[in-house]
Amino acid sequence: MHHIVNPGLNIGAAVFFVLSSMLVGCSLADPPNRDKPFAKYDPVSGRLKELAFDTTRNGRNDSIGFMDGTHVQRIEVDEDEDGTVDRWEFYDANRRLERVGFSRQRNGVLDAMAFYREDGDIDRVEISTRGDGTFSRVEFYRLGSLARVEEDTNGDGRIDKWETYAVDPHGTSGQPRPIVTASFDDSFRGTPTRRLVYHPDGIGILRIEVDPDGDGIFQESATTRPGQRE
């Protein structure tokens, strides 16, 4: 999911550059036979509504900014230039990137959405694992790294899988962290029935715990083998 966590190219900045160049009448010095920025205006108000432009400078307009005058509301990007949108960026009134949508299958269907905090750090990623428009998996981030996950694996609208990850406050942002626990609701009652506790390095299971009556108190399962690594 690294490509989702990292916003990547600041396309919003590209919109502002293109718009500024158009407003002041500056040439973008594109060679002949290359796409140039193309604007659409509201026929009644005269305000700018759309701005098509080329983020990669390869001669093809691959992005469209949907505007309210000089305010960019969202940007749609065809990253592989196959005619289908792969990425959606949404901005607030202060030009801050609020969230980014992705088509993980590159089929034009928005099946993942990354949300960003005011400081620009990733907050969470919501994913439609089946690509059906229902976002059944949520990844929560802390200090730029995955901290925990909640997932509805059977599509009944209730979380039945939980994961937690080690977060190092002194680590490098975006660096993958080892898994700490993985919990499962095998009876689909809405709370975990079984929990796997991993070794500190995240490799192999340290023990298996169970909570048969759903009171939130786990006990070590008799099936746990000391020190097992699977």
Side-chain angles (χ1 to χ4, degrees), residues 80-99:
D80 55 9
E81 298 182 351
D82 66 349
T84 303
V85 176
D86 308 304
R87 177 185 176 102
W88 297 256
E89 296 188 357
F90 299 86
Y91 293 81
D92 66 12
N94 296 317
R95 298 182 176 180
R96 180 182 70 86
L97 180 64
E98 287 186 312
R99 62 191 192 277

Side-chain angles (χ1 to χ4, degrees), residues 21 24 34-35 44 47-49 57 75 80 86 88 101 110 112 131 143 148 154 160 198 226-227:
S21 300
V24 301
R34 296 172 66 95
D35 287 347
V44 177
R47 294 173 65 84
L48 179 64
K49 300 299 293 183
R57 305 284 287 176
I75 301 171
D80 55 9
D86 308 304
W88 297 256
L110 194 160
L143 303 176
R148 62 187 177 92
N154 67 347
D160 52 58
Y198 289 82

Side-chain angles (χ1 to χ4, degrees), residues 106-228:
R106 295 192 177 274
N107 58 2
V109 177
L110 194 160
D111 57 16
M113 183 78 78
F115 295 81
Y116 296 87
R117 301 187 182 95
E118 290 188 3
D119 60 6
D121 283 348
I122 181 73
D123 179 58
R124 70 186 188 278
V125 177
E126 299 182 1
I127 303 168
S128 174
T129 57
R130 301 175 181 83
D132 58 1
T134 299
F135 290 81
S136 54
R137 177 181 171 94
V138 183
E139 300 178 346
F140 298 91
Y141 289 78
R142 182 183 173 197
L143 303 176
S145 298
L146 184 62
R148 62 187 177 92
V149 176
E150 296 180 354
E151 185 171 354
D152 171 16
T153 64
N154 67 347
D156 68 351
R158 295 195 301 181
I159 302 301
D160 52 58
K161 181 181 178 181
W162 299 260
E163 299 172 358
T164 62
Y165 292 80
V167 176
D168 182 0
H170 305 293
T172 302
S173 177
Q175 183 70 27
R177 304 300 179 195
I179 188 170
V180 177
T181 64
S183 303
F184 306 88
D185 179 9
D186 298 316
S187 63
F188 303 108
R189 67 188 181 191
T191 59
T193 58
R194 176 171 54 97
R195 182 167 64 190
L196 309 181
V197 180
Y198 289 82
H199 288 272
D201 59 7
I203 302 176
I205 299 170
L206 181 62
R207 65 181 181 274
I208 302 173
E209 300 175 338
V210 294
D211 177 14
D213 52 11
D215 61 1
I217 300 176
F218 285 85
Q219 299 177 348
E220 186 168 354
S221 170
T223 62
T224 300
R225 298 191 305 271
Q228 72 182 73

